[in-house]
Amino acid sequence: IFCCKHRTNTQLFPMSTAGAAPPSQDTKKIFKRVKLRSKNKLDWAIFQIDKKTQEITPEFTSDDEKEKKGIDGLVFKLSELQPRYAVFDHEFKTADGRLTSKLWFIAFTPDNANQTDRVTYAQSLKPFRDTLAGINPASFTDKNEILKEFGSKNAVEEDSDDEDEDFD
């Protein structure tokens, strides 16, 4: 007979969080500034895994990019070679004309990122995302995909390879 009073839980964290980088206190503060409606509100924030501290730390915020606004500013600050996490407050109009917003968690892993960084960010993705309440998850490998998804006028429409061509 199994008695639960003799059962011990030696595993403090689920296996999925082993090796995961925890968010820093600054990361938590920045997330609140993106999420909350206040005078110090941010439109977006980009986070990196600090190689020294092994914590998820803020890298850029919408305050750091003055020229480009909204999703264009966020994408402008993303590296073509490094995975990153981002939080974006996407404001848009509904079909009936009301202004509303959705908070998005973006996992950006460019195709040409090195394998070690890809694995490091993949290990921390779910545990980090799970600490952020009220977000919608999205993953991208290309900057233009992000621009298209969020309706940027700077998104580049690519030619479809599936088009039939006339070879007369």
Side-chain angles (χ1 to χ4, degrees):
I1 297 175
F2 178 79
C3 178
C4 62
K5 91 176 188 182
H6 296 290
R7 189 173 137 201
T8 60
N9 186 1
T10 57
Q11 185 179 354
L12 297 175
F13 300 102
M15 290 294 274
S16 63
T17 61
S24 69
Q25 289 302 314
D26 286 343
T27 294
K28 293 173 186 176
K29 289 176 188 173
I30 293 292
F31 174 70
K32 285 180 184 174
R33 285 187 60 197
V34 174
K35 185 176 181 176
L36 300 177
R37 304 280 178 212
S38 69
K39 65 179 180 174
N40 292 329
K41 177 164 179 25
L42 296 168
D43 292 334
W44 54 265
I46 298 173
F47 304 99
Q48 65 181 347
I49 297 177
D50 187 296
K51 293 189 188 289
K52 292 179 189 166
T53 65
Q54 289 302 303
E55 287 185 317
I56 298 169
T57 59
E59 182 177 33
F60 299 109
T61 69
S62 52
D63 282 351
D64 297 323
E65 179 53 44
K66 300 300 182 196
E67 272 185 48
K68 299 176 188 276
K69 301 293 180 198
I71 196 67
D72 295 318
L74 185 153
V75 169
F76 179 73
K77 288 293 192 181
L78 287 172
S79 166
E80 294 282 353
L81 301 173
Q82 298 294 317
R84 291 293 184 261
Y85 306 124
V87 177
F88 172 56
D89 188 12
H90 181 221
E91 292 186 355
F92 60 97
K93 284 191 177 181
T94 60
D96 61 358
R98 291 178 294 121
L99 189 62
T100 189
S101 69
K102 275 189 177 182
L103 194 61
W104 289 90
F105 176 86
I106 298 170
F108 178 66
T109 308
D111 288 331
N112 53 353
N114 78 45
Q115 191 62 30
T116 303
D117 288 344
R118 294 169 71 88
V119 169
T120 300
Y121 277 78
Q123 285 178 328
S124 297
L125 174 65
K126 185 173 178 352
F128 179 42
R129 189 177 59 208
D130 290 349
T131 66
L132 308 176
I135 55 149
N136 298 286
S139 296
F140 299 96
T141 58
D142 181 74
K143 288 180 171 189
N144 197 52
E145 289 175 356
I146 300 171
L147 294 173
K148 282 198 266 187
E149 178 69 26
F150 294 104
S152 170
K153 58 183 173 253
N154 294 320
V156 176
E157 290 300 322
E158 295 152 359
D159 292 335
S160 175
D161 293 336
D162 298 335
E163 291 181 12
D164 291 332
E165 294 184 16
D166 189 7
F167 290 105
D168 289 331

